[in-house]
Amino acid sequence: MKIKNVSIVGLGALGILYGHHLSKKIPKMNLRIIADKDRIEKYQKNGIYCNGELCDFQYVTPEETVESADLIIFAVKFSGLHDAIKSVEKHVGDNTIFLSTLNGISSEREIGTYYGFDKILYCVAQGMDAVKEGNQQSYDNFGILCFGEKEGIDTPKVKRLADFFQEVEMPFELDANMNKRQWGKFMLNVGVNQTVALIEGDYGEIQKDGKARDMMISAMREVIALSSYEGINLTEVDLQYWLEVVGKLSPHGKPSMRQDLEAKRKSELGLFAGTVVELGKKHGVHTPVNEELHRRIHEMEQEF
């Protein structure tokens, strides 16, 4: 069964990125952006722009009855996931595939618990440097979506999505060990997002040698230490892989956490340092760098 109808919930930097791309590849009637009435009115009044181009989206509220989606993409912040899960109920059918582009290592568990893990494909969005300011999103690198089952890629569900992504020219990569890939991306977020947010800089600051890059790598190594207790076993090879990913980003780009603090919004601090510190206590592993990052960024947020 081919993928025809796609629904996206969340119009942050990634929601706009994928929505704008798909809007040029499939009929407008087959792409739905799910949002509440007030958000839709704001989007329609002010417009949503991607690299200076006005996005042509079809908006639907969670209450509207629609034809089932073959693919639902979650592109919200983790704090908004609970509401987002409920907002897509009228879009879910027997053959719906869920794909989450959220940071962290737990969104698939939340979605799968609600709708069933048979509908889940595990995903990591990497290599993009999209920045959103107001209704304007911009990027230099589109990046790729890496996906697969939690373990393995040889399933009809994976093939359906891979065939669709090939058809719509969506850059992707299949990974037979998505559990490890997600932990690798989590390690990256822990280092990059928090360090750049703390120093109030951009990717360029952690792409060059110095105190900021040292802090980033130290925070990432604490995740490596914890991963063995969780059965993931990240290594220095994985660290180097993700450092290479960071090195290819626009030096003027900024991660989502930095964008949140600039806008004086609560960030995903609990999802990053909070998770590391909690796992450290669970396994008796010292996590001083993430403890410091948590304390200092929390202090910044207290001033909002």
Side-chain angles (χ1 to χ4, degrees):
M1 179 179 175
K2 289 185 62 175
I3 290 176
K4 181 183 75 169
N5 293 321
V6 180
S7 298
I8 297 176
V9 56
L11 270 189
L14 294 190
I16 295 172
L17 185 73
Y18 302 127
H20 185 244
H21 178 85
L22 289 172
S23 71
K24 296 181 175 183
K25 303 294 182 179
I26 64 176
K28 184 175 180 178
M29 63 180 291
N30 295 130
L31 176 65
R32 293 84 60 103
I33 306 297
I34 305 169
D36 61 45
K37 184 179 177 181
D38 291 341
R39 286 181 183 272
I40 291 174
E41 289 179 355
K42 183 178 72 171
Y43 295 152
Q44 291 176 330
K45 177 182 178 181
N46 301 326
I48 294 289
Y49 293 84
C50 182
N51 275 355
E53 186 174 349
L54 179 64
C55 298
D56 185 21
F57 291 147
Q58 172 193 193
Y59 299 103
V60 299
T61 66
E63 295 76 27
E64 291 182 55
T65 299
V66 296
E67 187 178 357
S68 297
D70 302 300
L71 173 64
I72 297 178
I73 299 174
F74 286 86
V76 296
K77 293 285 187 183
F78 190 79
S79 60
L81 180 59
H82 179 74
D83 290 339
I85 288 173
K86 292 187 175 182
S87 76
V88 306
E89 282 184 340
K90 291 186 180 295
H91 294 247
V92 180
D94 293 339
N95 298 302
T96 301
I97 294 172
F98 290 111
L99 206 65
S100 169
T101 67
L102 274 69
N103 289 323
I105 50 179
S106 57
S107 62
E108 282 88 358
R109 183 178 69 242
E110 301 291 329
I111 299 166
T113 298
Y114 198 89
Y115 288 111
F117 286 90
D118 59 310
K119 296 183 179 299
I120 295 288
L121 282 178
Y122 291 76
C123 178
V124 162
Q126 69 180 65
M128 68 290 299
D129 49 23
V131 174
K132 183 188 176 191
E133 296 181 359
N135 65 340
Q136 304 276 342
Q137 184 259 44
S138 60
Y139 68 90
D140 289 333
N141 296 286
F142 190 89
I144 60 174
L145 287 172
C146 306
F147 69 91
E149 302 286 358
K150 191 170 187 179
E151 294 182 357
I153 55 175
D154 189 22
T155 68
K157 193 167 45 175
V158 171
K159 187 178 187 307
R160 277 182 69 208
L161 187 57
D163 288 347
F164 175 68
F165 277 177
Q166 286 180 331
E167 180 183 338
V168 299
E169 300 177 302
M170 180 76 79
F172 73 95
E173 180 179 314
L174 299 181
D175 193 323
N177 190 352
M178 282 304 303
N179 205 18
K180 186 172 184 179
R181 171 82 70 156
Q182 288 191 324
W183 264 80
K185 175 68 182 299
F186 172 62
M187 173 177 66
L188 177 77
N189 289 145
V190 164
V192 174
N193 278 33
Q194 298 187 129
T195 302
V196 175
L198 180 63
I199 66 172
E200 300 180 311
D202 52 26
Y203 290 129
E205 292 299 315
I206 47 88
Q207 288 171 332
K208 61 186 180 183
D209 291 336
K211 290 182 178 179
R213 185 175 176 85
D214 291 343
M215 173 178 278
M216 172 189 72
I217 292 173
S218 295
M220 293 170 75
R221 284 193 169 123
E222 290 182 352
V223 176
I224 291 176
L226 289 166
S227 71
S228 62
Y229 291 90
E230 293 288 315
I232 306 300
N233 299 312
L234 294 173
T235 69
E236 288 290 314
V237 173
D238 298 301
L239 176 66
Q240 291 305 314
Y241 170 83
W242 288 101
L243 290 178
E244 289 176 10
V245 171
V246 174
K248 296 175 183 177
L249 301 177
S250 166
H252 306 296
K254 303 170 185 176
S256 58
M257 195 172 197
R258 168 70 169 130
Q259 295 175 55
D260 285 339
L261 296 190
E262 278 188 312
K264 299 191 182 302
R265 295 189 298 259
K266 292 292 184 181
S267 71
E268 294 180 309
L269 180 63
L271 193 62
F272 300 144
T275 299
V276 173
V277 172
E278 183 179 323
L279 287 173
K281 291 177 180 177
K282 173 184 175 183
H283 298 298
V285 176
H286 293 299
T287 57
V289 178
N290 277 281
E291 288 170 18
E292 180 183 358
L293 284 164
H294 191 281
R295 176 182 60 79
R296 294 175 65 182
I297 295 173
H298 179 69
E299 289 173 355
M300 294 169 70
E301 292 183 348
Q302 291 297 101
E303 297 178 2
F304 297 163

